[in-house]
């Protein structure tokens, strides 16, 4: 099953100094992604509520709401809590800064001056994860739509499969479905598919803690189940 997913992800850069924003934009420019900047923690939170980001580069030393407080607020909001944060700070900082950042849920911590190659490499990891998660989300939605279309009610109030008559293997006298060749009735397969969709949605919400291979396995299993259910309905026609 193919799914078209936009190649470009969004990266949020947060720093109170314009020259730092310009420098970071220059470093990340070769990645050819959408770069969004914010000059304060408040502006960063507003931007994250307006759109989705693959990763946030967050300066620690900012006036008002500093990087630590901003990171804590990001992780407290359901809409933004799963977005990876890379904290950026100068070299003259307290030794416990890294510990404080990781305890707030930051994914990484870099000290200035930042090596452009190192920064692009770290950001690319999160861009790749974002692309995979968006691909899997699109596939899950396509499977959901396929499932709905397969069982959409027709004018008579019955599903498309039911409108064609009882499925093969149903005993006319009782109306009860027998086991299909795959060992499940159509109703049981439908219930299993619905359960898998719920599990995939839960994995997508917890994308930071779930392996991409687990997503792929669940999607592959779901595709097979939908095809089996489609073949059952096709044989019943």
């Amino acid at each position: 099953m193919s799914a078209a997913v936009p190649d470009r992800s969004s990266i949020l850069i947060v720093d109170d100094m314009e020259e730092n924003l310009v420098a970071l934009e220059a470093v990340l420019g070769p990645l050819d992604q959408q770069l969004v900047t914010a000059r304060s923690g408040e502006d960063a939170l507003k931007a994250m509520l307006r759109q989705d980001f693959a990763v946030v580069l967050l300066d620690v030393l900012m006036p008002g709401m500093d990087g630590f407080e901003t990171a804590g607020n990001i992780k407290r909001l359901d809409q933004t809590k799963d977005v990876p944060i890379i904290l950026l700070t100068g070299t003259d900082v307290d030794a416990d800064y890294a510990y404080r950042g990781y305890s707030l849920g930051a994914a990484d911590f870099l000290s200035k001056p930042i090596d452009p190659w190192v920064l692009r490499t770290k950001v690319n990891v999160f861009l790749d994860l974002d692309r995979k998660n968006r691909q899997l989300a699109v596939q899950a939605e396509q499977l959901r739509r396929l499932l709905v279309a397969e069982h959409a009610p027709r004018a008579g109030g019955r599903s498309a499969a039911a409108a064609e008559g009882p499925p093969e293997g149903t005993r006319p006298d009782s109306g009860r479905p027998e086991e299909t060749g795959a060992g499940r009735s159509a109703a049981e397969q439908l219930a299993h598919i619905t359960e898998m969709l719920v599990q995939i949605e839960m994995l997508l919400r917890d994308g930071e803690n779930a392996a991409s291979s687990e997503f792929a396995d669940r999607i592959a299993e779901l595709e097979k189940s939908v095809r089996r259910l489609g073949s059952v309905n096709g044989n019943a026609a």
Side-chain angles (χ1 to χ4, degrees):
M1 176 178 293
S2 61
V5 176
D7 292 331
R8 287 163 60 91
S9 299
S10 296
I11 302 170
L12 179 60
I13 308 171
V14 189
D15 198 301
D16 63 299
M17 300 182 67
E18 182 66 27
E19 58 267 31
N20 290 340
L21 293 175
V22 172
L24 288 170
E25 285 182 295
V27 170
L28 298 176
L31 298 180
D32 192 29
Q33 305 299 314
Q34 182 186 15
L35 304 179
V36 178
T37 61
R39 295 285 299 272
S40 68
E42 292 84 355
D43 289 343
L45 290 171
K46 291 176 183 177
M48 295 186 72
L49 293 174
R50 287 195 296 265
Q51 69 179 96
D52 295 327
F53 290 96
V55 62
V56 178
L57 305 182
L58 178 58
D59 185 47
V60 169
L61 302 177
M62 295 188 298
M65 185 189 297
D66 66 14
F68 292 127
E69 186 178 356
T70 303
N73 286 326
I74 290 172
K75 292 302 180 181
R76 276 193 289 269
L77 295 175
D78 287 339
Q79 186 174 334
T80 60
K81 65 182 181 181
D82 295 326
V83 181
I85 299 173
I86 299 178
L87 290 174
L88 311 175
T89 190
T91 54
D92 54 341
V93 296
D94 295 338
D96 67 339
Y97 268 30
Y99 172 78
R100 289 178 61 190
Y102 291 131
S103 67
L104 286 169
D108 213 331
F109 196 100
L110 292 176
S111 297
K112 301 173 185 176
I114 295 169
D115 185 311
W117 182 86
V118 171
L119 180 59
R120 284 194 293 266
T121 300
K122 290 179 178 292
V123 168
N124 255 327
V125 172
F126 297 113
L127 292 176
D128 185 55
L129 178 63
D130 180 62
R131 283 189 291 267
K132 289 178 180 177
N133 284 343
R134 287 187 290 125
Q135 176 79 26
L136 291 168
V138 169
Q139 289 178 336
E141 179 60 24
Q142 288 181 338
L143 286 169
R144 183 190 296 278
R145 291 179 181 179
L146 176 62
L147 186 60
V148 171
E150 285 282 343
H151 297 274
R154 289 187 174 179
R158 295 180 297 170
S159 70
E164 300 291 342
E168 184 177 349
T170 299
R171 292 197 294 270
D173 57 334
S174 66
R176 294 176 59 190
E178 295 178 350
E179 292 290 313
T180 66
R184 293 172 185 247
S185 69
E188 288 172 332
Q189 289 188 54
L190 180 58
H192 180 60
I193 289 171
T194 302
E195 180 182 353
M196 283 191 291
L197 282 169
V198 172
Q199 292 173 351
I200 289 172
E201 284 185 350
M202 293 176 66
L203 285 173
L204 287 171
R205 293 194 190 103
D206 194 30
E208 241 183 32
N209 299 321
S212 295
S213 59
E214 186 176 4
F215 281 121
D217 291 344
R218 294 293 179 89
I219 292 292
E221 182 185 356
L222 189 56
E223 288 179 344
K224 290 178 183 178
S225 297
V226 171
R227 283 197 294 269
R228 282 198 298 266
L229 185 60
S231 65
V232 170
N233 290 336
N235 292 334

